[in-house]
Amino acid sequence: MNYKIIWDSDVILDLLLLRTKDNPYIFEIEKYVLNYKIPIYISSSQLSNIKITLSERLKNSNINVNDILKKFVETHNVSVLKTPSYIDIDKWYSDFDIEDELIRLTGETFDLYVLTRDEKFL
């Protein structure tokens, strides 16, 4: 089966931060993805937020964020997709999550499903 899934930032952070309380299935998902060499697609719009959030959460530790990200990319089949260069300007000043919208647009552009645990995003 050809899985075409873009991962929401929260799901990636669940894995990187070992947040099993928030996402008890993340290690099962990871095991399946690794066993079947399923690609993990990420929108380029997510990269900054993932790195910033990871840095904030680990700022009081001796853990190097860049090392975590490098290992993640080296051990998983990660592909970064270009975020579409368009967005409905009316959404900019409305009450919505711009990162979710950019992930959704990337998924739509590349015909991908979105893996998320964010019920508002669903």
Side-chain angles (χ1 to χ4, degrees), residues 24-39:
Y25 304 104
I26 191 58
F27 293 128
E28 291 176 43
I29 293 168
E30 180 189 33
K31 182 178 177 182
Y32 191 85
V33 163
L34 290 172
N35 285 343
Y36 293 96
K37 297 177 176 45
I38 299 169

Side-chain angles (χ1 to χ4, degrees), residues 14-15 24 29 33 44 47 68 70 73 77-78 84-85 100 102-103 108 111:
D14 289 343
L15 182 60
I29 293 168
V33 163
S44 60
L47 297 176
I68 291 173
K70 183 177 184 205
V73 170
N77 183 7
V78 177
S85 59
D100 288 351
L102 291 171
I103 293 168
E108 184 179 281
D111 194 28

